[in-house]
Amino acid sequence: MRAVVLVGGFGTRLRPLTSSIPKPMLPVGHVPIIERLVANLARGGVVEVTLALGFKPEPFLEAFPDGHCAGVALHYAVEPEPLDTAGAIRFAADHAGIDDTFVVANGDVLTDLDVSAMVAFHRSRHAEATIHLIGVPDPSAFGVVALDADGRVERFIEKPAPGTAPSNLINAGTYVLEPSVLARIPVGQKVSIERATFPAIVADGGLFAMATDDYWLDTGRPEYYLEANIDIAAGRRRHDRCHPVHPDALVSPDAVITRSIVGPGATVAAGALVTDSVLLTGASVDTDAVVADSVVMGRVGAGAEVRHSVLGADGVVAPGEHVDGVKRPDPDAS
Ligand code: GDD
Ligand code: MG
């Protein structure tokens, strides 16, 4: 089985982290999101993945120089301009020569979904397209479906206004598609699978959906990116594990690290306290500083306090400074 993984978004909501690293290359438990995602596809029977890239393929080429990721052969389809989700799927599938049932995944989703079970479900329903669903308390930030008893999708609504969603079941960003879906997508045009293609397949009765209660997270916002890291450290994933403090991190024996991930090369000085946070490569936390509920790639000065914040590679909190809820450098400043 072949797959297309969508990795062409700009990662806007994860800035300033994504100013230096594309979203799918950000590590979760020391391993890039894309590698954890591809590993799960491989467990489900996927042997070849085409990355649908909108821009900047270089970080991927550098990370996977032999053209393999998690044991799977990787190909790159670089769009001349961002074509949105369906346009990107068409472009990548044409690039890879896909002409059989295939899998698509949003590149920012981490899940323990059994993809082979989803393919079996898809075949049992003779579906044209099948989407994975997860139940969430507030579905308004996602694609939402109404289903019949057989799993046939009756409505697909992308990001409904709060309070108007027909159910709590959301599009979890993994699809099984027949090649006939490709014929619905015009070549070289910006088309959204969520807003155009899925509603068209619903109208023809060919869209099905399989709900599961597997681990699932869209890492596309800082609070969820943080959660994805903490979850893996806490052993909440079915297959994935990691040592919270990487062996190549430089942590003083007089620092306290709780429920946090510390990446290779990150430094934590004596007396520092790090809780519920992620320190990425490049992070330094100086003497007696406090870091809580934050993601840090930059520098935290001695005695500083950083809470609910995101520091990119060039983000600095001065010695003794206290910050809460900041992003540095400010991604909205020009
Ligand atoms: N190649 C390419 N080109 N990829 C793109 C483009 C593009 O023009 N636009 C978006 N993508 C990729 C993103 O990188 C991401 O991996 C995926 O498509 C989905 O885009 P997001 O921007 O992350 O969308 P979302 O999270 O708001 O919503 C999507 O995911 C939800 C589940 O997490 C939708 O599919 C929702 O329906 C779904 O509920
Ligand atoms: Mg997303």
Side-chain angles (χ1 to χ4, degrees):
M1 180 78 51
R2 292 195 275 182
V4 170
V5 178
L6 295 170
V7 289
F10 290 99
T12 313
R13 289 164 293 192
L14 275 175
R15 290 181 305 167
L17 301 175
T18 45
S19 309
S20 55
I21 302 180
K23 172 164 76 169
M25 287 304 302
L26 284 172
V28 163
H30 314 307
V31 172
I33 291 169
I34 187 69
E35 193 168 335
R36 298 217 178 260
L37 185 159
V38 170
N40 197 58
L41 295 179
R43 279 189 284 270
V46 168
V47 295
E48 191 185 303
V49 164
T50 299
L51 295 184
L53 293 163
F55 71 132
K56 283 208 284 200
E58 294 81 9
F60 298 91
L61 296 165
E62 281 164 24
F64 310 110
D66 71 344
H68 282 80
C69 170
V72 169
L74 270 193
H75 299 281
Y76 301 91
V78 183
E79 292 146 48
E81 56 180 334
L83 293 174
D84 207 339
T85 45
I89 292 166
R90 173 80 206 245
F91 182 83
D94 287 351
H95 185 272
I98 287 174
D99 56 2
D100 201 355
T101 309
F102 66 109
V103 173
V104 172
N106 284 351
D108 54 2
V109 161
L110 291 175
T111 180
D112 291 337
L113 169 71
D114 178 347
V115 173
S116 64
M118 192 167 147
V119 172
F121 175 94
H122 172 85
R123 296 215 154 105
S124 75
R125 298 302 192 279
H126 305 287
E128 181 174 2
T130 299
I131 64 182
H132 175 217
L133 302 178
I134 287 281
V136 298
D138 175 12
S140 62
F142 301 100
V144 188
V145 303
L147 284 182
D148 76 6
D150 201 33
R152 190 188 302 266
V153 177
E154 293 171 326
R155 288 169 72 202
F156 185 103
I157 307 143
E158 183 66 7
K159 304 193 175 123
T164 67
S167 77
N168 285 331
L169 291 173
I170 61 141
N171 168 21
T174 306
Y175 318 134
V176 181
L177 305 182
E178 289 305 308
S180 60
V181 173
L182 298 172
R184 294 175 177 272
I185 305 167
V187 173
Q189 287 181 33
K190 253 187 138 118
V191 185
S192 160
I193 197 163
E194 297 88 347
R195 295 181 194 277
T197 319
F198 286 156
I201 303 173
V202 168
D204 292 343
L207 187 67
F208 286 74
M210 187 180 95
T212 75
D213 57 4
D214 292 302
Y215 179 92
W216 181 87
L217 202 97
D218 179 332
T219 56
R221 294 170 194 221
E223 61 272 30
Y224 297 138
Y225 173 67
L226 182 55
E227 191 178 331
N229 276 278
I230 308 276
D231 284 344
I232 209 159
R236 291 192 195 105
R237 300 294 305 278
R238 189 183 298 159
H239 306 283
D240 299 281
R241 296 279 176 273
C242 82
H243 290 293
V245 177
H246 192 279
D248 296 332
L250 302 160
V251 177
S252 162
D254 298 321
V256 177
I257 312 274
T258 314
R259 296 185 301 273
S260 297
I261 295 267
V262 184
T267 65
V268 185
L273 181 60
V274 177
T275 57
D276 303 292
S277 293
V278 177
L279 308 183
L280 295 166
T281 300
S284 69
V285 177
D286 210 340
T287 321
D288 298 328
V290 174
V291 175
D293 305 294
S294 296
V295 183
V296 175
M297 264 187 200
R299 288 181 287 131
V300 178
E305 274 190 36
V306 177
R307 298 182 188 278
H308 308 103
S309 292
V310 181
L311 299 188
D314 298 322
V316 177
V317 174
E321 189 184 0
H322 289 202
V323 298
D324 196 334
V326 303
K327 291 184 180 185
R328 286 191 186 170
D330 180 357
D332 297 319
S334 54

